[in-house]
Amino acid sequence: MIRIALNAGLRASLLAAASIAVLAGPALAQTQPQEARVTQILKRTPLIDGHNDLPWALRQGFGNDPHGVDLNANLSGSTRLHTDIPRLRAGGVGGQFWSVYVPASMAPVEAAKATFEQIDTVKRIAAAYPETFEIATTADDLVRIHRAGRIASLIGMEGGYSIDDSLGLLREFYDSGARYMTLTHSKSTTWADSGTDAPKWNGLNAFGEEVVREMNRLGMMVDLSHVSEDTMVDAIRVSSAPVIFSHSSARAVTAHPRNVPDAVLRQMASNGGIVMVTFVPGFISEAVRASGAARAAEMTRLSALNPGDPAAVKAGMDAWNAANPAPKATMEDVIAHIQHVRDVAGIDHVGLGGDYDGVDSLPVGLEGVDGYPRLLAELMRRGWSEADIRKISGENLLRVMRAVERVAESKRAERPSLAKLPDDGAPE
């Protein structure tokens, strides 16, 4: 996860101009009536975003206090946050999976503690603004809360190391409200390979398969964002319920290992799962991805040339950055991924997972949670029907949630798994 590092005041002044530029000329005139249609659609169909890191942003910047900043105010000009209540309302958000993220660098027992604290933060956000948010744990909850005019608040865990190799802890997280778990984050766990770490298990090991089965029994969605391709394939093979990618994009469009390859996209139809396209610039723009890789390589080179001399490394990087300005992702990049997922997996298997407040930059035109109507209106301008917009906004995820709930109901008579990771199961 990348932390936010934008200058809020400058950002606020630039965003309006950038958004206008994206929709300038004939497209602006054509997209405005589409936005009105989208607004009407989202009154009936909840727009459900798969991943927002506001709880972690509150922890890092506001003392973990939902009252530490006034979420009833538009904070785009006064803070670095991408999320507040006015922008959520303007964005038509009806259901939000709040990520209870903790860094992969944490020891598992500390990660478990911090994850429970993040779950507590989500509940305190809902308690602080009860006229806006209500905790949801089922698809029916989500629909009911949206119809009542509030934003359904759901909990998604990011990183399987938080269970500390304990299915008992997994069950406690479920009982606390978590309704999906991303099997890994940036590092492999003791039972599953990450997409951005050296492989240890060639996917899932035997205990990892038991984790997936127990998630099926509980009714917790298996989230495959961040995992390796082998882990994706293993989890889809083992799971008796549809899987999700809460915030991932298409590898054929941007060659980042975090993205979903076509071979896996093609399995979504038979699995019934969903890929919720993310807005992270390095995952959606090949130019941004390549620029970031080159920047990291230069940092490595300068650090090797100047051991123990951080000032020289900084001076070298400042010069490199000045000579190699970073490109910007755009809404067009996001649309390319959405369209590719639709083309390969099918319209029933695409959704939205912005990763707001978990990144330090966002595509031009989608700089805050108020950007969803612009995106959906542009899709309509390109020929997407109202039925298509309902599916990508929320119907697809509601279908997945209900399927996961049905699988759990069918397993109600099964006893909780007592599987344990073998003593020799941990990587060196």
Side-chain angles (χ1 to χ4, degrees):
M1 180 174 293
I2 313 163
R3 293 298 102 214
I4 304 166
L6 294 175
N7 181 300
L10 177 61
R11 173 178 172 273
S13 64
L14 291 176
L15 296 194
S19 297
I20 291 171
V22 169
L23 299 174
L28 178 61
Q30 294 177 40
T31 304
Q32 284 178 332
Q34 307 295 353
E35 285 198 40
R37 291 174 65 191
V38 166
T39 298
Q40 292 305 310
I41 292 170
L42 298 184
K43 288 180 180 178
R44 303 187 302 274
T45 301
L47 187 150
I48 309 167
D49 177 87
H51 195 91
N52 184 304
D53 283 294
L54 178 64
W56 184 259
L58 292 177
R59 184 184 181 102
Q60 293 295 95
F62 299 94
N64 203 26
D65 184 3
H67 298 282
V69 62
D70 183 8
L71 292 178
N72 277 316
N74 187 313
L75 301 170
S76 60
S78 59
T79 74
R80 295 171 291 185
L81 294 176
H82 304 142
T83 307
D84 52 55
I85 291 170
R87 283 184 286 173
L88 285 166
R89 293 301 196 187
V93 177
Q96 180 64 69
F97 273 92
W98 302 109
S99 171
V100 290
Y101 159 84
V102 294
S105 57
M106 278 189 173
V109 67
E110 290 300 315
K113 173 185 173 183
T115 300
F116 275 120
E117 290 173 349
Q118 288 288 90
I119 289 173
D120 173 68
T121 299
V122 173
K123 294 177 179 178
R124 286 187 292 111
I125 292 171
Y129 302 93
E131 70 289 347
T132 300
F133 302 116
E134 183 178 340
I135 297 295
T137 59
T138 68
D140 285 348
D141 282 349
L142 201 159
V143 171
R144 172 184 57 78
I145 292 166
H146 175 252
R147 287 176 177 168
R150 292 187 292 277
I151 298 171
S153 294
L154 303 102
I155 296 169
M157 294 171 60
E158 188 172 25
Y161 41 81
S162 292
I163 69 170
D164 196 15
D165 304 331
S166 167
L167 297 183
L169 265 181
L170 176 69
R171 291 186 281 271
E172 290 299 313
F173 282 122
Y174 177 85
D175 287 345
S176 295
R179 286 303 178 265
Y180 76 64
M181 182 175 72
T182 320
L183 299 187
T184 74
H185 191 251
S186 58
K187 300 293 184 183
S188 296
T189 67
T190 50
W191 43 271
D193 285 340
S194 168
T196 50
D197 196 8
K200 296 180 173 68
W201 316 112
N202 297 316
L204 294 173
N205 65 15
F207 181 75
E209 294 187 2
E210 285 298 308
V211 171
V212 169
R213 293 188 185 100
E214 187 66 0
M215 292 175 72
N216 289 165
R217 191 191 69 82
L218 289 169
M220 182 184 285
M221 290 184 289
V222 177
D223 179 22
L224 302 181
S225 288
H226 286 289
V227 307
S228 71
E229 182 173 355
D230 285 341
T231 302
M232 296 175 194
V233 171
D234 280 353
I236 291 169
R237 171 180 55 80
V238 172
S239 181
S240 55
V243 301
I244 69 167
F245 292 81
S246 67
H247 58 307
S248 290
S249 295
R251 195 177 300 179
V253 181
T254 303
H256 195 289
R258 261 283 274 107
N259 287 338
V260 189
D262 281 1
V264 173
L265 288 178
R266 284 191 286 269
Q267 294 188 58
M268 288 298 97
S270 57
N271 172 266
I274 183 174
V275 176
M276 307 182 80
V277 173
T278 192
F279 303 166
V280 180
F283 301 161
I284 62 166
S285 164
E286 184 61 25
V288 174
R289 185 203 66 78
S291 174
R295 184 172 291 103
E298 181 65 8
M299 173 67 81
T300 299
R301 187 185 74 85
L302 289 171
S303 297
L305 289 174
N306 301 280
D309 191 352
V313 173
K314 181 181 184 304
M317 284 306 303
D318 287 346
W320 191 92
N321 288 330
N324 300 274
K328 291 185 178 295
T330 68
M331 189 163 66
E332 187 71 27
D333 294 312
V334 176
I335 290 171
H337 285 268
I338 290 173
Q339 192 61 54
H340 186 84
V341 173
R342 175 182 178 158
D343 290 345
V344 178
I347 183 59
D348 293 330
H349 307 285
V350 59
L352 300 169
D355 207 358
Y356 284 111
D357 283 308
V359 293
D360 61 3
S361 67
L362 285 156
V364 175
L366 294 170
E367 297 90 349
V369 293
D370 56 334
Y372 292 108
R374 289 193 293 275
L375 174 64
L376 297 174
E378 181 60 19
L379 291 175
M380 293 192 80
R381 194 179 72 82
R382 297 177 186 217
W384 283 47
S385 69
E386 290 194 13
D388 295 336
I389 297 300
R390 289 196 301 270
K391 286 185 176 185
I392 189 176
S393 296
E395 286 182 353
N396 286 342
L397 185 60
L398 285 170
R399 172 185 53 76
V400 170
M401 290 179 67
R402 289 192 168 105
V404 170
E405 291 166 9
R406 285 195 300 271
V407 169
E409 179 64 26
S410 73
K411 295 177 177 292
R412 177 174 289 187
E414 295 182 12
R415 292 181 179 179
S417 173
L418 300 180
K420 295 182 179 297
L421 189 75
D423 290 340
D424 61 351
E428 296 179 357

